[in-house]
Amino acid sequence: MISSRGLLMAASKRLLKAPQIWLQRHAQVALSSLGRMAGNQLATLMTCAVIGIALAMPLGLHVMLGNLQRISGAWDSGASISVFLKQTVSDEKAASLAKELRLHQRIEGVELITRESALEEFQQLSGYADALEALDSNPLPALLIVQPKADYTTAETAQLLVRELKLLPDADIVQLDLQWVRRLQAITVIAQRAVVVLAALLGMAVLLIVGNTIRLEIQNRRAEIEITKLIGATNAFIRRPFLYTGFWYGLFGGIIAWLLVAIAITLLSGPIANLANLYESSFSLSSLNLSTVASLLLGSSLLGLAGSWLAVGRHLSAIEPG
Amino acid sequence: MIHFDNVSKRYPGGHTGLSNVSLRIEAEEMVFLTGHSGAGKSTLLKLIGLLERPSTGQLHVNDRNLSRLKRRQIPYHRRDVGMIFQDHRLLHDRTVFDNVALPLVVAGVGHKEIGRRVRAALDKVGLLHKERSAPITLSGGEQQRVGIARAVVSKPPLVLADEPTGNLDPALSEEIMELFKQFNQVGVTLLIASHDIDLLNRMQKRILTLSKGQLVDDIKPGPADGGE
Ligand SMILES: Nc1ncnc2c1ncn2[C@@H]1O[C@H](COP(=O)(O)OP(=O)(O)OP(=O)(O)O)[C@@H](O)[C@H]1O
Ligand SMILES: [Mg+2]
């Protein structure tokens, strides 16, 4: 009975001073576990780097996919149909055909690229000017770029228009540019799933890395844990520094992943802007946005915490003073 | 304060630590525990600090029934028992100050209070000037005194010491015993295991003798010596 009274008094005393001391204690443990990690710079850096690299992979893929989706999304609405005319069709005939098609009820507009202008453009871009000059005749066909009316840009309706255009006697090849966009979108969905699976696997790897690091740390500090238990430390008290260490590993790993991906984006953005230029697009690689970074850091910290929780749960209770 | 009722401890593998020990130690007593090597002195102290559980029998410490104490409650019991070891068991990567502060940190005592109480404990054992030192830079006797400061800093009602003077020279041993006497005078109950018979005889305190795990002798000093 005295014991329960004693416990009660201790408990109420603790509650009175609790919030301040609780905060003070946590801040102290958080800092001291950080200090311990800083004291072992190389090992800490290596562990964080491994975590960072593991997280950078799914993160980088995620960013790339986001960009791909932006590309295919932008082109979806502007789907057009390319009608390559037969070689034998002259530029004049092509112009009159274009005029005719512009009156079609399902067609918004028609852009004509004559054989002449196609050749010019090709000479400019390809650098085969001399070779083409050697040919007697222009090998390029005329091209009509047909823009369907807004109501007819979905895959099925555009397909109807394609079938109709294929019936034109002068048409050689009719291509719906939407098709590759659709395929790209389908591939993107698959890739997205793959990224989720990869993220799950690498997340597990991070869990194991942190778990193993903490396990070693527990082994190294076995004597200290025993002595602290002897002196009346609760399991929560002994757990705390290890949990903070796991949290820090996760957080720093996340920061390294962020840096790695940011650097990769910076390195890639120049060449990609060049490529986009060649496609006459103003596309530029989008970098990491705030919410992605925030969820990355939150996720990696939680992974670190979970990893150390696993290690602590398994290995700490096995250490008892004797 | 301490009440053994037919307590036995058998270690896994059949070794007997203690067999059928019954004894009672009152609050504010100072008691020595002696016996040959392997007699069960450390086992008896470990049972009190719940480093081991009794195999059979009832054991009460501080009015707590230790056989019924749940695992979760063990830390709170240990905070009421100061323990001193022959090998000191100090943390070698912390300063003397931090070592002595540990029981207070563990118990969630505030920062300022810790500073005050640690210095008071270090002053008591005469090591205030060494608070910033690392334990390994101290002599064996000094390290033992750090261990003692750590055991008493949280003012536990009961202090256990297992061969606290084991590898100290007689003068140092005397000094340490003098410290224990002072703690006892302010009301701390002490149970000290030692096989230094000469020292025990000079202290004029109650002596429990163990042999092969059994309590074979319980000598109380005469009233003139002011034991109880
Ligand atoms: N962890 C253990 N596992 C098995 N047997 C043990 C264990 N600890 C102690 N014993 C046995 O229990 C008996 C009592 O040991 P204990 O350590 O209590 O003796 P002691 O009186 O402290 O001896 P010493 O003076 O040498 O320290 C011995 O026979 C010992 O072998
Ligand atoms: Mg012993």
Side-chain angles (χ1 to χ4, degrees), chain A residues 2-3 7 14 21 24-25 36 221 223-224 226-234 237 317 320-322, chain B residues 46 51 63-64 71 73 75-76 78-79 83 85 89-91 93-94 102-103 105-106 108 110-111 150:
Chain A
I2 292 177
S3 73
L7 281 177
R14 274 196 301 165
I21 289 178
Q24 186 187 328
R25 218 195 295 176
R36 189 173 278 275
R221 295 170 67 181
E224 178 184 344
E226 276 185 19
I227 290 169
T228 322
K229 278 197 176 179
L230 267 181
I231 274 159
T234 56
F237 180 93
S317 53
E320 278 297 334
Chain B
K46 281 178 183 174
L51 305 187
D63 291 308
R64 275 187 199 126
R71 234 178 114 89
Q73 296 173 310
Y76 301 98
R78 288 196 186 135
R79 288 177 198 179
M83 285 183 264
F85 306 89
R89 303 227 185 158
L90 302 177
L91 298 179
D93 58 347
R94 316 256 178 111
L102 201 58
V105 174
V106 156
H111 197 65
R150 184 182 66 186

Side-chain angles (χ1 to χ4, degrees), chain A residues 20-41:
Chain A
Q20 229 175 323
I21 289 178
W22 187 86
L23 266 182
Q24 186 187 328
R25 218 195 295 176
H26 272 261
Q28 203 178 358
V29 174
L31 285 178
S32 70
S33 51
L34 202 57
R36 189 173 278 275
M37 286 166 75
N40 206 343
Q41 249 172 27

